[in-house]
Amino acid sequence: MAEAHAKRAAEEGYSAITVGTCGNYGVAVAYYAKVYGLKAYIFVPAGYTLERAGEMLAYGAEVIPIPGPYEKVVFESRKFAVENGAYDANPGSNPEIDYEGYSKIADDILREVRPDAVFVPVGNGTTLAGIWHGFRKRGENPRMVGVTTSLGNQVLWQFYGVETNEFVETPVNEPLVSMISFDALEAFKAVYESSGYIFGFADDDAVQYALLLEKTEGISALPASALTIAGLVKFARKFGTWRGNFVLVLTGGVHGGEGLGAYGGALSYVRWENRARACALLEKV
């Protein structure tokens, strides 16, 4: 998606591109801005851990911390785009580019397998909506299952009919917390059209499954995205679906390479002693 936005910006004659981000997307925008000869202005929440800010700076981006939640950061980035003639790569600003970019993930999946269900981390809902867009274009109809934090996400609240604006941001759930999910409607459309579902989980689940991935597969995934495993377990138990082709979308880059230990014992009661122990536990779920 970042490449699609940077390419569009260059084609339309922009010299700069901007986005509000919690981390991964900002790194991607910074990288492709450099590839296409653009100056990147990356707005980030000042109170977040910002473990990937160094990568953004390394690609030549200007990182601008803004006090307040993620949503305020996005609004400030949009304001900057209008006032300074920069290309706006924020979620919801150019949705056709977002969906087309993420639809390529569907292509990658279909080259390997025809999935029965696809599990996607949900913050704004853009990734889930975009992947669904790709499947629909290709005549496929897997169940789209979103996973997110139980501590505050608009898509989760509305799916369960909860009326609240209370949320808690932590180093673990930062990529998923969202008072305003900018692509909530399209995410709901994907879930309902595909007979999918939305699940919410606590931080300890996220770290547990990230550690499990690290021990069993050697994959260093963000705990927020490792929740797709928790989603698969809960989905199988809820719907009695134990066989099929299940695809889990994961995001790498755990605290700038520091590993899961950087989360400060968020799941201190778990002690995976060795790989065999972890594999045995995974088989049980």
Side-chain angles (χ1 to χ4, degrees), residues 261-275:
Y263 289 96
L267 196 66
S268 58
Y269 63 86
V270 168
R271 295 290 183 268
W272 303 120
E273 296 176 358
N274 52 51
R275 185 177 185 277

Side-chain angles (χ1 to χ4, degrees), residues 84-115:
N84 295 276
Y87 179 90
D88 185 351
N90 285 289
S93 296
N94 292 282
E96 73 284 356
I97 298 296
D98 295 335
Y99 303 151
E100 188 60 33
Y102 280 124
S103 73
K104 294 179 181 178
I105 296 177
D107 290 335
D108 294 336
I109 293 171
L110 290 170
R111 275 194 287 270
E112 302 295 331
V113 66
R114 291 186 65 185

Side-chain angles (χ1 to χ4, degrees), residues 105-164:
I105 296 177
D107 290 335
D108 294 336
I109 293 171
L110 290 170
R111 275 194 287 270
E112 302 295 331
V113 66
R114 291 186 65 185
D116 296 296
V118 180
F119 297 78
V120 185
V122 171
N124 283 311
T126 312
T127 306
L128 188 148
I131 295 175
W132 175 244
H133 174 80
F135 282 126
R136 293 290 290 189
K137 283 177 58 178
R138 292 148 189 84
E140 299 292 335
N141 188 38
R143 299 178 74 172
M144 300 300 296
V145 183
V147 299
T148 190
T149 175
S150 59
L151 300 180
N153 182 279
Q154 183 188 4
V155 174
L156 182 71
W157 291 331
Q158 292 188 357
F159 183 78
Y160 289 99
V162 176
E163 295 184 6
T164 180

